[in-house]
């Protein structure tokens, strides 16, 4: 369940730079940090993001929403001067986009991450929180997956995220920056908006359009699904923590098989609209792990993280949002 939680960082206002602040996760985080009284600078080149949602809430009057590229050393060093911490979200996210645009993906996710760390080193910024992914693990050989599991990414996205994590580790060891890497599961839910490229909102939209829900494989593939509000919670707990430099954390919510998820969405659409939705199976997609579930003990114990959103509650939220905003 949701529950309201404070994002207050021990009551002390901080200067925080957020890369990718116009994106799905970044825009929610910028809003929450501003609401809690922090000085926020967002950097985004708007290749995938849009400041429209933050502007419509008036956040542009309270935070700097800048357009620029993390690979532009002069720009980034100019704008993050004076920050206490950086949350580094800017990336080409997901295996499909990285496969389609390998040059941009490698350049942004690896070189761009290096530029962010270099800026932190030169400007003496003490903390960098890096947004990584479950894609660094590849196909799990032991479940649930702990942070000590072997790292064998199966696609370019996972490789770029692993490279980013290694850069974080080295900058912590060599330059004593307190870097932390957060390995997000599949993020879902409505923040300032929802991302329709991912499976839960896609299913909801298909269902509302009265299309069959398409499941790749036999439906027994499983994933960890974590609500975007819980992701914001994990980032804030990381900003608030001390002495966790060089650490990596799984950030997850609830595990579900894709077939069960399709049934849950079909049932939710049926009870909301009275329409019966079918489920169609397609061949499995290459480069994707079959089963995946997270062990979340480390982040619970060391950062006090608790997932507050069930998949069922998140599906209801997306259904309501999609019916209101997209009117399918
Ligand atoms: N959404 C998920 O399911 C998920 C899962 C695991 C990890 N992550 C990670 O979380 C982060 C945020 O993901 P998201 O879902 O909000 O994606 P998003 O695409 O909505 O946000 C990323 C933002 O980065 C910006 N950006 C891209 N290249 C840039 C560059 N060179 N310079 C400046 N800005 C640039 C984009 O315009 C976009 O606004 C990413 O690092 C992603 O890999 C996301």
């Amino acid at each position: 369940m949701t529950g309201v939680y404070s994002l207050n960082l021990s009551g002390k206002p901080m200067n925080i730079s957020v890369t990718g602040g116009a994106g799905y996760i970044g825009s929610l985080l910028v809003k929450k940090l501003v609401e809690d009284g922090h000085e926020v600078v967002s950097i985004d080149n708007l290749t995938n993001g849009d400041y429209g949602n933050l502007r419509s809430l008036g956040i542009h009057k309270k935070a700097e929403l800048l357009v620029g590229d993390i690979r532009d050393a002069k720009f980034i060093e100019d704008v993050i001067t004076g920050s206490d911490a950086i949350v580094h979200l800017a990336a080409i996210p997901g295996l499909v986009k990285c496969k389609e645009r390998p040059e941009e993906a490698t350049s942004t996710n690896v070189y761009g991450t290096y530029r962010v760390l270099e800026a932190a080193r030169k400007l003496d910024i003490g903390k960098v929180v890096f947004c990584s992914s479950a894609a660094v693990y590849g196909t799990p050989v032991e479940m649930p997956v702990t942070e000590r599991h072997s790292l064998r990414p199966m696609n370019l996205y996972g490789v770029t995220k692993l490279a980013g994590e290694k850069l974080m580790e080295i900058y912590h060891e060599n330059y004593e920056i307190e870097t932390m890497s957060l390995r997000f599961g599949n993020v879902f839910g409505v923040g300032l908006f929802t991302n329709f490229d991912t499976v839960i909102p896609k299913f909801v939209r298909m269902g509302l359009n009265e299309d069959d829900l398409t499941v790749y494989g036999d439906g027994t593939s499983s994933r960890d699904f974590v609500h975007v509000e819980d992701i914001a919670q994990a980032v804030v707990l990381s900003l608030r923590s001390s002495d966790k430099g060089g650490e990596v954390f799984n950030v997850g919510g609830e595990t579900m098989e894709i077939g069960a998820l399709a049934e849950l969405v079909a049932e939710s659409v049926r009870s909301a609209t009275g329409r019966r939705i079918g489920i169609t199976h397609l061949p499995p997609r290459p480069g994707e792990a079959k089963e995946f579930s997270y062990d979340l003990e480390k982040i619970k114990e060391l950062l006090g993280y608790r997932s507050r959103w069930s998949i069922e509650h998140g599906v209801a939220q997306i259904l309501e949002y999609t019916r209101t905003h997209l009117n399918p």
Side-chain angles (χ1 to χ4, degrees):
M1 232 337 256
T2 51
V4 177
Y5 57 91
S6 170
L7 295 185
N8 195 293
L9 308 177
S10 340
K12 231 175 60 187
M14 291 173 76
N15 292 326
I16 302 166
S17 291
V18 178
T19 73
Y24 169 51
I25 298 169
S27 57
L28 178 69
L29 183 70
V30 167
K31 173 179 170 278
K32 287 185 176 282
L33 291 172
V34 166
E35 282 171 353
D36 276 348
H38 304 290
E39 296 287 326
V40 179
V41 175
S42 166
I43 297 140
D44 200 300
N45 69 357
L46 305 186
T47 49
N48 201 36
D50 180 351
Y51 282 130
N53 290 292
L54 285 168
R55 282 185 194 285
S56 66
L57 294 168
I59 302 292
H60 59 295
K61 296 180 191 147
K62 301 174 188 158
E64 287 188 70
L65 306 182
L66 305 176
V67 179
D69 201 297
I70 54 165
R71 295 165 291 183
D72 179 343
K74 180 165 178 350
F75 167 74
I76 191 152
E77 286 165 26
D78 282 351
V79 300
I80 68 172
T81 304
S83 295
D84 299 308
I86 304 171
V87 179
H88 177 37
L89 286 149
I92 305 301
L95 74 103
V96 175
K97 285 197 177 106
C98 287
K99 191 175 178 187
E100 285 168 359
R101 288 144 57 194
E103 169 111 16
E104 199 189 345
T106 311
S107 160
T108 300
N109 298 5
V110 184
Y111 177 69
T113 297
Y114 156 74
R115 285 264 58 110
V116 168
L117 282 164
E118 262 303 278
R121 182 182 71 81
K122 286 188 190 166
L123 299 169
D124 226 2
I125 296 171
K127 186 159 203 158
V128 180
V129 177
F130 174 57
C131 299
S132 184
S133 163
V136 296
Y137 291 113
T139 300
V141 289
E142 269 172 44
M143 294 230 280
V145 173
T146 70
E147 289 80 356
R148 291 183 304 281
H149 191 283
S150 56
L151 302 173
R152 294 182 305 172
M154 294 163 70
N155 50 56
L156 180 61
Y157 177 54
V159 168
T160 63
K161 285 292 171 184
L162 183 52
E165 286 191 7
K166 290 290 168 195
L167 285 168
M168 292 291 144
E169 209 176 288
I170 291 302
Y171 270 71
H172 170 65
E173 283 169 15
N174 290 358
Y175 307 115
E176 292 170 15
I177 299 174
E178 194 183 350
T179 62
M180 298 171 76
S181 293
L182 306 180
R183 294 174 178 160
F184 301 162
N186 284 56
V187 185
F188 79 107
V190 182
L192 296 198
F193 58 98
T194 189
N195 173 1
F196 283 97
D197 292 340
T198 61
V199 62
I200 297 180
K202 230 186 222 173
F203 277 174
V204 168
R205 191 140 80 169
M206 284 171 168
L208 288 173
N209 284 335
E210 295 184 58
D211 295 332
D212 276 9
L213 309 187
T214 46
V215 172
Y216 295 95
D218 63 5
T220 58
S221 295
S222 54
R223 292 287 178 277
D224 177 278
F225 294 99
V226 52
H227 198 280
V228 64
E229 292 271 355
D230 285 334
I231 291 290
Q233 179 202 164
V235 171
V236 169
L237 289 170
S238 303
L239 287 169
R240 192 189 282 169
S241 71
S242 52
D243 303 327
K244 303 289 184 301
E247 293 286 355
V248 297
F249 293 93
N250 292 340
V251 187
E254 188 184 350
T255 303
M256 193 174 270
E257 289 186 356
I258 305 298
L261 178 64
E263 279 167 25
L264 171 67
V265 173
E267 179 51 30
S268 305
V269 172
R270 195 198 56 73
S271 61
T273 66
R275 297 174 205 145
R276 293 203 170 275
I277 306 300
I279 297 172
T280 304
H281 289 266
L282 296 176
R285 290 189 292 192
E288 291 184 332
K290 192 160 162 25
E291 286 173 291
F292 197 96
S293 72
Y294 256 159
D295 181 310
L296 297 172
E297 283 313 304
K298 182 174 174 185
I299 190 164
K300 284 182 183 167
E301 193 179 319
L302 297 190
L303 298 185
Y305 168 85
R306 296 287 181 275
S307 164
R308 291 174 166 88
W309 279 78
S310 68
I311 296 175
E312 192 175 348
H313 185 56
V315 165
Q317 182 204 36
I318 295 168
L319 190 58
E320 173 65 26
Y321 176 89
T322 310
R323 292 182 86 191
T324 317
H325 287 79
L326 302 185
N327 198 22

